[in-house]
Coordinates of all heavy atoms in Angstrom, one line a residue:
M24 N -3.7 -6.8 -5.4 CA -3.4 -7.8 -6.5 C -3.1 -7.0 -7.7 O -2.3 -7.3 -8.6 CB -4.6 -8.7 -6.6 CG -4.8 -9.7 -5.5 SD -3.4 -10.9 -5.4 CE -2.5 -10.3 -4.0
L25 N -4.0 -5.9 -8.0 CA -3.8 -5.1 -9.2 C -2.4 -4.4 -9.2 O -1.8 -4.3 -10.2 CB -4.9 -4.1 -9.3 CG -6.3 -4.6 -9.8 CD1 -7.3 -3.5 -9.7 CD2 -6.2 -5.2 -11.2
A26 N -2.0 -4.0 -8.0 CA -0.7 -3.3 -7.9 C 0.4 -4.3 -8.3 O 1.4 -4.0 -9.0 CB -0.5 -2.8 -6.5
Q27 N 0.3 -5.6 -7.8 CA 1.3 -6.6 -8.1 C 1.2 -6.9 -9.6 O 2.3 -7.1 -10.2 CB 1.0 -7.8 -7.2 CG 1.3 -7.7 -5.8 CD 1.0 -8.9 -5.0 OE1 1.1 -10.0 -5.5 NE2 0.6 -8.8 -3.7
F28 N 0.0 -7.0 -10.1 CA -0.2 -7.3 -11.5 C 0.5 -6.3 -12.4 O 1.2 -6.6 -13.3 CB -1.7 -7.4 -11.8 CG -2.1 -7.7 -13.2 CD1 -1.9 -9.0 -13.6 CD2 -2.7 -6.8 -14.1 CE1 -2.3 -9.4 -15.0 CE2 -3.0 -7.2 -15.3 CZ -2.8 -8.5 -15.8
E29 N 0.2 -5.0 -12.0 CA 0.8 -3.9 -12.9 C 2.4 -3.9 -12.8 O 3.1 -3.8 -13.8 CB 0.3 -2.6 -12.3 CG 0.9 -1.4 -13.1 CD 0.3 -0.1 -12.6 OE1 -0.9 0.3 -13.1 OE2 0.9 0.6 -11.7
Q30 N 2.9 -4.1 -11.6 CA 4.3 -4.1 -11.4 C 5.0 -5.2 -12.2 O 6.0 -5.1 -12.8 CB 4.7 -4.2 -9.9 CG 6.2 -4.2 -9.6 CD 6.8 -2.8 -10.0 OE1 6.1 -1.8 -10.2 NE2 8.1 -2.9 -10.3
A31 N 4.3 -6.4 -12.1 CA 4.9 -7.6 -12.9 C 4.8 -7.3 -14.4 O 5.8 -7.7 -15.1 CB 4.1 -8.8 -12.5
L32 N 3.8 -6.6 -14.9 CA 3.7 -6.3 -16.3 C 4.8 -5.4 -16.8 O 5.3 -5.5 -17.8 CB 2.3 -5.8 -16.7 CG 1.1 -6.7 -16.5 CD1 -0.2 -6.0 -16.8 CD2 1.3 -7.9 -17.4
L33 N 5.0 -4.4 -15.9 CA 6.1 -3.4 -16.3 C 7.4 -4.1 -16.4 O 8.2 -3.7 -17.2 CB 6.1 -2.3 -15.3 CG 4.8 -1.4 -15.3 CD1 4.8 -0.4 -14.1 CD2 4.7 -0.6 -16.6
V34 N 7.7 -5.0 -15.4 CA 9.0 -5.7 -15.5 C 9.1 -6.6 -16.7 O 10.0 -6.7 -17.4 CB 9.2 -6.5 -14.2 CG1 10.5 -7.4 -14.3 CG2 9.3 -5.6 -13.0
M35 N 7.9 -7.3 -17.0 CA 7.8 -8.1 -18.2 C 8.1 -7.3 -19.5 O 8.8 -7.8 -20.4 CB 6.5 -8.8 -18.3 CG 6.2 -9.9 -17.3 SD 4.5 -10.3 -17.2 CE 4.1 -10.5 -18.9
E36 N 7.6 -6.1 -19.5 CA 7.7 -5.3 -20.8 C 9.2 -5.0 -21.0 O 9.6 -5.0 -22.2 CB 6.9 -4.0 -20.7 CG 6.9 -3.2 -22.0 CD 6.1 -2.0 -21.8 OE1 5.9 -1.4 -20.7 OE2 5.6 -1.5 -22.8
S37 N 9.9 -4.7 -19.9 CA 11.3 -4.4 -20.1 C 12.2 -5.6 -20.2 O 13.3 -5.6 -20.8 CB 11.8 -3.5 -18.9 OG 11.6 -4.2 -17.7
D38 N 11.8 -6.7 -19.7 CA 12.5 -8.0 -19.7 C 11.5 -9.1 -20.0 O 11.0 -9.8 -19.2 CB 13.2 -8.2 -18.4 CG 14.1 -9.5 -18.4 OD1 14.2 -10.1 -19.5 OD2 14.6 -9.9 -17.3
P39 N 11.2 -9.3 -21.3 CA 10.2 -10.4 -21.7 C 10.6 -11.8 -21.3 O 9.7 -12.7 -21.2 CB 10.2 -10.3 -23.2 CG 10.7 -8.9 -23.6 CD 11.7 -8.6 -22.5
S40 N 11.9 -12.0 -20.9 CA 12.2 -13.4 -20.6 C 12.0 -13.7 -19.1 O 12.3 -14.8 -18.6 CB 13.7 -13.6 -20.9 OG 14.5 -12.7 -20.1
D41 N 11.5 -12.7 -18.3 CA 11.4 -12.8 -16.9 C 10.1 -13.7 -16.6 O 9.0 -13.2 -16.4 CB 11.2 -11.4 -16.2 CG 11.3 -11.5 -14.7 OD1 10.9 -12.6 -14.1 OD2 11.8 -10.6 -14.1
N42 N 10.2 -15.0 -16.4 CA 9.1 -15.9 -16.2 C 8.6 -15.7 -14.8 O 7.4 -15.9 -14.6 CB 9.6 -17.3 -16.4 CG 9.8 -17.6 -17.9 OD1 9.2 -17.0 -18.8 ND2 10.7 -18.5 -18.2
E43 N 9.4 -15.3 -13.9 CA 9.0 -15.1 -12.5 C 7.9 -14.0 -12.4 O 6.8 -14.3 -11.7 CB 10.1 -14.7 -11.6 CG 9.8 -14.5 -10.2 CD 9.3 -15.8 -9.5 OE1 9.8 -16.9 -9.9 OE2 8.4 -15.7 -8.7
N44 N 8.0 -12.9 -13.1 CA 7.0 -11.9 -13.0 C 5.8 -12.3 -13.9 O 4.7 -11.9 -13.6 CB 7.6 -10.5 -13.5 CG 8.3 -9.8 -12.4 OD1 7.7 -9.2 -11.5 ND2 9.6 -10.0 -12.4
L45 N 6.0 -13.1 -14.9 CA 4.9 -13.6 -15.7 C 4.0 -14.5 -14.8 O 2.8 -14.4 -14.8 CB 5.4 -14.4 -16.9 CG 4.3 -15.1 -17.7 CD1 3.3 -14.1 -18.2 CD2 4.9 -15.8 -18.9
N46 N 4.6 -15.3 -14.0 CA 3.9 -16.2 -13.1 C 3.2 -15.3 -12.0 O 2.0 -15.6 -11.6 CB 4.8 -17.2 -12.4 CG 5.3 -18.2 -13.3 OD1 4.6 -18.6 -14.3 ND2 6.5 -18.7 -13.1

Side-chain angles (χ1 to χ4, degrees):
M24 291 292 103
L25 283 177
Q27 294 181 25
F28 184 69
E29 179 178 276
Q30 182 63 23
L32 292 178
L33 293 172
V34 175
M35 285 165 50
E36 185 179 29
S37 59
D38 183 7
S40 63
D41 191 332
N42 292 328
E43 182 60 35
N44 278 280
L45 175 57
N46 290 329

